[in-house]
CSV table of all heavy atoms in Angstrom, one decimal:
chain,number,residue,atom,x,y,z
A,5,GLU,N,0.6,4.6,-2.4
A,5,GLU,CA,0.5,5.9,-1.9
A,5,GLU,C,1.6,6.8,-2.5
A,5,GLU,O,1.4,7.9,-2.9
A,5,GLU,CB,0.7,5.9,-0.3
A,5,GLU,CG,0.5,7.2,0.4
A,5,GLU,CD,-0.8,7.9,-0.1
A,5,GLU,OE1,-1.9,7.3,-0.3
A,5,GLU,OE2,-0.8,9.2,-0.2
A,8,ARG,N,0.9,7.5,-6.0
A,8,ARG,CA,-0.2,8.5,-6.1
A,8,ARG,C,0.4,10.0,-6.0
A,8,ARG,O,0.1,10.8,-6.7
A,8,ARG,CB,-1.2,8.3,-5.0
A,8,ARG,CG,-2.3,9.2,-4.8
A,8,ARG,CD,-3.3,8.8,-3.7
A,8,ARG,NE,-4.2,9.8,-3.5
A,8,ARG,CZ,-4.0,10.9,-2.7
A,8,ARG,NH1,-2.9,11.0,-2.1
A,8,ARG,NH2,-4.9,11.8,-2.6
A,36,GLY,N,1.7,2.5,-19.2
A,36,GLY,CA,1.8,3.5,-18.1
A,36,GLY,C,2.0,2.7,-16.7
A,36,GLY,O,1.8,1.5,-16.6
A,45,LEU,N,-2.0,-7.5,-11.0
A,45,LEU,CA,-3.1,-8.1,-10.1
A,45,LEU,C,-3.2,-9.6,-10.3
A,45,LEU,O,-3.5,-10.3,-9.3
A,45,LEU,CB,-4.4,-7.4,-10.4
A,45,LEU,CG,-4.6,-6.0,-9.9
A,45,LEU,CD1,-5.9,-5.4,-10.4
A,45,LEU,CD2,-4.5,-5.9,-8.4
A,58,GLN,N,-9.2,-2.6,-5.9
A,58,GLN,CA,-10.1,-1.4,-5.5
A,58,GLN,C,-9.3,-0.2,-5.4
A,58,GLN,O,-9.6,0.9,-5.9
A,58,GLN,CB,-10.8,-1.7,-4.2
A,58,GLN,CG,-12.1,-2.5,-4.4
A,58,GLN,CD,-12.8,-2.9,-3.1
A,58,GLN,OE1,-12.3,-2.6,-2.0
A,58,GLN,NE2,-13.9,-3.6,-3.2
A,89,GLU,N,-1.3,38.6,-25.6
A,89,GLU,CA,-0.2,38.8,-26.6
A,89,GLU,C,-0.7,39.4,-27.9
A,89,GLU,O,-0.1,40.2,-28.5
A,89,GLU,CB,0.4,37.5,-26.9
A,89,GLU,CG,1.5,37.1,-26.1
A,89,GLU,CD,2.0,35.7,-26.4
A,89,GLU,OE1,1.5,35.0,-27.4
A,89,GLU,OE2,2.9,35.2,-25.7
A,109,ILE,N,-9.6,51.2,-59.1
A,109,ILE,CA,-11.0,50.9,-59.4
A,109,ILE,C,-11.9,51.3,-58.3
A,109,ILE,O,-13.0,51.9,-58.5
A,109,ILE,CB,-11.2,49.4,-59.7
A,109,ILE,CG1,-10.5,49.0,-61.0
A,109,ILE,CG2,-12.6,49.0,-59.7
A,109,ILE,CD1,-10.5,47.5,-61.3
A,128,ALA,N,-27.2,50.9,-55.8
A,128,ALA,CA,-27.9,49.6,-55.8
A,128,ALA,C,-26.9,48.5,-56.2
A,128,ALA,O,-25.9,48.8,-56.9
A,128,ALA,CB,-29.1,49.6,-56.7
A,150,PRO,N,-28.2,37.4,-82.4
A,150,PRO,CA,-26.7,37.4,-82.3
A,150,PRO,C,-26.2,38.3,-81.2
A,150,PRO,O,-25.0,38.1,-80.8
A,150,PRO,CB,-26.3,37.9,-83.7
A,150,PRO,CG,-27.5,38.3,-84.4
A,150,PRO,CD,-28.7,37.7,-83.7
A,165,ASP,N,-33.3,21.3,-65.4
A,165,ASP,CA,-34.5,21.8,-66.1
A,165,ASP,C,-34.1,22.5,-67.4
A,165,ASP,O,-35.0,23.1,-68.1
A,165,ASP,CB,-35.2,22.8,-65.1
A,165,ASP,CG,-34.4,24.0,-64.8
A,165,ASP,OD1,-33.3,24.1,-65.4
A,165,ASP,OD2,-34.8,24.9,-64.0
A,203,TYR,N,-9.6,38.5,-73.9
A,203,TYR,CA,-8.4,38.9,-73.2
A,203,TYR,C,-7.4,39.5,-74.2
A,203,TYR,O,-6.8,38.8,-75.0
A,203,TYR,CB,-7.8,37.7,-72.5
A,203,TYR,CG,-6.6,38.1,-71.6
A,203,TYR,CD1,-6.8,38.8,-70.4
A,203,TYR,CD2,-5.3,37.8,-71.9
A,203,TYR,CE1,-5.8,39.1,-69.6
A,203,TYR,CE2,-4.2,38.1,-71.1
A,203,TYR,CZ,-4.5,38.8,-69.9
A,203,TYR,OH,-3.4,39.1,-69.1
A,206,THR,N,-6.8,45.6,-74.3
A,206,THR,CA,-7.9,46.5,-73.9
A,206,THR,C,-9.1,45.6,-73.3
A,206,THR,O,-10.2,46.2,-73.0
A,206,THR,CB,-8.5,47.3,-75.0
A,206,THR,OG1,-8.7,46.5,-76.1
A,206,THR,CG2,-7.5,48.4,-75.4
A,213,GLN,N,-18.3,47.9,-64.3
A,213,GLN,CA,-19.1,48.9,-65.0
A,213,GLN,C,-19.9,49.7,-63.9
A,213,GLN,O,-20.0,49.1,-62.8
A,213,GLN,CB,-20.2,48.3,-65.9
A,213,GLN,CG,-19.6,47.7,-67.1
A,213,GLN,CD,-20.7,47.3,-68.1
A,213,GLN,OE1,-21.8,47.0,-67.8
A,213,GLN,NE2,-20.4,47.2,-69.4
A,238,ALA,N,-17.4,66.9,-64.4
A,238,ALA,CA,-16.9,66.8,-63.0
A,238,ALA,C,-15.9,65.7,-62.8
A,238,ALA,O,-14.8,65.9,-62.2
A,238,ALA,CB,-18.1,66.5,-62.0
A,247,ILE,N,-17.8,67.3,-75.6
A,247,ILE,CA,-18.6,66.0,-75.4
A,247,ILE,C,-19.5,65.9,-76.6
A,247,ILE,O,-20.2,66.9,-77.0
A,247,ILE,CB,-19.4,66.1,-74.1
A,247,ILE,CG1,-18.5,66.4,-72.9
A,247,ILE,CG2,-20.2,64.8,-73.9
A,247,ILE,CD1,-19.3,66.6,-71.6
A,267,CYS,N,-10.2,64.5,-77.4
A,267,CYS,CA,-8.8,64.2,-77.0
A,267,CYS,C,-7.9,64.5,-78.1
A,267,CYS,O,-8.3,64.8,-79.2
A,267,CYS,CB,-8.7,62.7,-76.6
A,267,CYS,SG,-8.9,61.6,-78.0
A,273,GLU,N,1.1,60.3,-77.3
A,273,GLU,CA,0.6,60.6,-76.0
A,273,GLU,C,-0.9,61.1,-76.1
A,273,GLU,O,-1.2,62.0,-76.8
A,273,GLU,CB,1.5,61.7,-75.3
A,273,GLU,CG,1.4,61.6,-73.8
A,273,GLU,CD,1.8,62.8,-73.1
A,273,GLU,OE1,2.8,63.5,-73.5
A,273,GLU,OE2,1.2,63.1,-72.1
A,274,LEU,N,-1.7,60.5,-75.2
A,274,LEU,CA,-3.1,60.8,-75.3
A,274,LEU,C,-3.4,61.9,-74.3
A,274,LEU,O,-3.0,61.8,-73.1
A,274,LEU,CB,-3.9,59.5,-74.9
A,274,LEU,CG,-5.4,59.6,-74.8
A,274,LEU,CD1,-6.0,59.8,-76.2
A,274,LEU,CD2,-6.0,58.4,-74.2
A,285,ILE,N,-16.7,56.8,-74.2
A,285,ILE,CA,-16.6,56.5,-72.8
A,285,ILE,C,-17.8,55.8,-72.2
A,285,ILE,O,-17.7,55.2,-71.1
A,285,ILE,CB,-16.2,57.7,-71.9
A,285,ILE,CG1,-17.2,58.8,-72.2
A,285,ILE,CG2,-14.8,58.2,-72.2
A,285,ILE,CD1,-17.3,59.7,-70.9
A,307,GLN,N,-41.5,56.5,-67.9
A,307,GLN,CA,-40.3,56.3,-68.9
A,307,GLN,C,-39.1,56.8,-68.2
A,307,GLN,O,-39.1,57.3,-67.0
A,307,GLN,CB,-40.6,57.2,-70.1
A,307,GLN,CG,-40.8,58.6,-69.8
A,307,GLN,CD,-41.3,59.4,-71.1
A,307,GLN,OE1,-41.6,58.8,-72.1
A,307,GLN,NE2,-41.3,60.7,-71.0
A,322,LYS,N,-8.3,58.9,-67.1
A,322,LYS,CA,-8.0,60.0,-66.2
A,322,LYS,C,-6.6,59.9,-65.6
A,322,LYS,O,-6.0,60.9,-65.3
A,322,LYS,CB,-9.1,60.0,-65.1
A,322,LYS,CG,-8.9,61.2,-64.1
A,322,LYS,CD,-10.2,61.3,-63.3
A,322,LYS,CE,-10.0,62.3,-62.1
A,322,LYS,NZ,-11.3,62.5,-61.4
A,325,ILE,N,-3.2,55.3,-67.2
A,325,ILE,CA,-2.8,53.9,-67.0
A,325,ILE,C,-2.8,53.3,-68.4
A,325,ILE,O,-3.9,53.1,-68.9
A,325,ILE,CB,-3.6,53.2,-66.0
A,325,ILE,CG1,-3.7,54.0,-64.7
A,325,ILE,CG2,-3.1,51.8,-65.7
A,325,ILE,CD1,-4.7,53.5,-63.6
A,343,GLY,N,-2.1,53.8,-56.7
A,343,GLY,CA,-3.1,53.7,-55.6
A,343,GLY,C,-3.4,55.1,-55.0
A,343,GLY,O,-2.7,56.0,-55.2
A,353,ALA,N,-16.4,69.0,-52.9
A,353,ALA,CA,-15.9,70.2,-52.4
A,353,ALA,C,-14.4,70.1,-52.2
A,353,ALA,O,-13.6,71.1,-52.5
A,353,ALA,CB,-16.5,70.5,-51.0
Side-chain angles (χ1 to χ4, degrees):
E5 184 53 34
R8 180 177 169 276
L45 288 173
Q58 276 177 357
E89 271 175 3
I109 289 178
D165 64 5
Y203 187 74
T206 50
Q213 290 189 337
I247 303 173
C267 69
E273 210 201 317
L274 179 70
I285 55 153
Q307 54 189 12
K322 182 165 171 178
I325 306 173

